Amino acid sequence: MTHTVRKLAATAVLAVAGVAFSTGAFAADFVAKIGHLESTQQSRHVHLEKVAALVAERTNGAVEFQIFPQGQLGQQREMTEGVQLGSLEATVAPAAFLGGFNPVVSILDIPFLLPEDDAKAQELRSGTFGKALCESFESRGVECLMLWPNGRKNFSSSKPLASMEDFSGQKFRVMDSSILIEQFKAVGASAIALPFGELYTSLQTGVVDAQENPLDTIRAMKFYEVQKYLVLSNHGAMEDVILFNPTFWASLPEEYRTIITDAFAEVVPDLIAHKKASVASSLEEIKAAGVEVRELSAEEKAAFRETMYPAARNAYIQGAGEEGLELVNLYEQEYAAVTK
């Protein structure tokens, strides 16, 4: 090899090494790919990016989070299984998508589960109840860090919903959940499990009259085009579950595990505020479309809870068994303490 060729080869190697270093290839001791389903503008992704920045800063670049939104790494079932098997380090998953994987988490499908007050709801999430719910994932082969709030569901229909009596006889679309089916049976409505992708057309053609979803989903999917009435009920908690692969989690030094857990907890107030802003702008758009909007009073919410909760609770226990019963009892004790 001539001197010139050797020099060019050495320069090429240094250039490649420089690019690798500048892209952080040699910077992080631990790299976690984190998959989720939301878009880059939505609250979950925005705050995952914030957590990633905090973790990188506080570990001096030793831990890197690579965020993959919009199902880039597969549907939620594939990502959850990937975390379980170790082909993916972490996922932030809607609890409603995890009931088949862990029936205990379906407690979050029960209507009016969390107090309306954000601080009180967070007490339940971060307290004994939330920790016990997280611990139920251990026997399923994943590490649950905590619950993350992601909004609440409301009712909409093509028919009036001026009172609880108006729910009777209406056909509501639900996810395939016995808890949600019983929730509507309790007020005399029928519940039909349909895929989300079929909901707009089903509302348009009258296959179903009504549905339940967060306001930003109602706006994004343009359900307001085929619904005349909206009830601001905030009845259904839309919670995310932060899941890590146990082997990856155990490989991290304790200091880094603490930093990561604290970062996820630290951004919760900003996450709630971001979601509220999205909900507020969604409501304005829905109102502008001519939808009649009504907010449930505190008394009405109490009446709905009193009617819906027992039926949904029983359906949950039937599905989750003794483990579910223990969690419900713990929840009810803590709920009573938080809301007294």
Side-chain angles (χ1 to χ4, degrees):
M1 186 182 287
T2 66
H3 173 73
T4 303
V5 171
R6 283 198 301 272
K7 188 174 179 180
L8 286 171
T11 303
V13 169
L14 287 170
V16 170
V19 170
F21 185 78
S22 67
T23 57
F26 299 133
D29 298 325
F30 302 93
V31 177
K33 298 187 298 295
I34 304 178
H36 70 96
L37 296 175
E38 285 192 347
S39 75
T40 54
Q41 288 77 42
Q42 289 178 283
S43 302
R44 183 189 299 150
H45 183 82
V46 169
H47 291 82
L48 270 172
E49 293 283 13
K50 287 186 177 183
V51 170
L54 289 172
V55 169
E57 177 190 345
R58 292 170 184 176
T59 63
N60 295 315
V63 179
E64 180 188 353
F65 284 176
Q66 297 175 353
I67 317 296
F68 294 86
Q70 295 178 293
Q72 290 176 26
L73 302 181
Q75 292 305 307
Q76 189 55 59
R77 179 175 176 174
E78 295 171 286
M79 289 190 284
T80 304
E81 289 174 351
V83 171
Q84 188 183 34
L85 297 170
S87 57
L88 180 62
E89 284 74 32
T91 184
V92 179
F97 288 19
L98 296 172
F101 179 75
N102 176 11
V104 178
V105 78
S106 294
I107 193 171
L108 296 167
D109 284 346
I110 296 175
F112 299 99
L113 189 82
L114 296 181
E116 188 86 3
D117 181 86
D118 288 330
K120 291 179 179 178
Q122 187 57 27
E123 275 189 64
L124 277 170
R125 263 186 221 106
S126 59
T128 310
F129 164 70
K131 287 172 182 168
L133 179 52
C134 251
E135 285 169 8
S136 72
F137 282 90
E138 288 180 13
S139 61
R140 278 85 184 178
V142 288
E143 181 76 32
C144 171
L145 259 62
M146 67 186 69
L147 300 176
W148 242 17
N150 198 19
R152 306 203 188 202
K153 293 185 288 186
N154 299 275
F155 302 118
S156 75
S157 180
S158 58
K159 299 177 179 179
L161 294 172
S163 68
M164 193 189 300
E165 288 70 32
D166 286 340
F167 281 69
S168 182
Q170 293 203 36
K171 296 174 291 185
F172 278 81
R173 177 268 173 184
V174 294
M175 294 179 67
D176 190 6
S177 161
S178 61
I179 297 167
L180 300 179
I181 290 168
E182 292 303 319
Q183 160 189 299
F184 284 111
K185 274 189 186 176
V187 290
S190 57
I192 301 171
L194 290 172
F196 184 70
E198 296 176 17
L199 180 49
Y200 184 96
T201 305
S202 297
L203 292 167
Q204 189 176 41
T205 58
V207 172
V208 291
D209 307 304
Q211 61 87 49
E212 54 170 9
N213 262 301
L215 294 182
D216 46 354
T217 301
I218 292 171
R219 172 180 66 173
M221 302 306 295
K222 300 189 182 297
F223 294 149
Y224 58 79
E225 294 177 346
V226 287
Q227 299 277 266
K228 294 180 182 177
Y229 304 94
L230 173 69
V231 172
L232 301 177
S233 53
N234 285 330
H235 66 278
M238 301 294 287
E239 299 292 298
D240 282 345
V241 185
I242 301 163
L243 300 176
F244 273 79
N245 171 261
T247 304
F248 173 79
W249 188 251
S251 74
L252 295 166
E254 186 177 351
E255 178 193 358
Y256 293 169
R257 293 199 297 267
T258 301
I259 286 169
I260 291 167
T261 304
D262 288 351
F264 272 108
E266 185 177 316
V267 303
V268 166
D270 285 346
L271 175 62
I272 292 171
H274 189 275
K275 192 72 179 180
K276 279 191 168 182
S278 175
V279 164
S281 64
S282 298
L283 182 58
E284 289 310 307
E285 191 171 322
I286 291 165
K287 283 180 177 176
V291 175
E292 186 177 308
V293 178
R294 186 175 81 84
E295 185 170 2
L296 289 185
S297 67
E299 292 75 21
E300 284 180 297
K301 285 179 183 175
F304 267 99
R305 187 180 198 271
E306 191 176 324
T307 303
M308 288 180 159
Y309 178 86
R313 176 191 190 275
N314 291 342
Y316 167 67
I317 293 168
Q318 202 165 8
E322 189 63 33
E323 200 178 358
L325 178 59
E326 287 178 16
L327 186 62
V328 162
N329 289 338
L330 177 62
Y331 157 76
E332 289 176 347
Q333 291 169 16
E334 199 160 349
Y335 181 87
V338 165
T339 57
K340 68 179 179 182

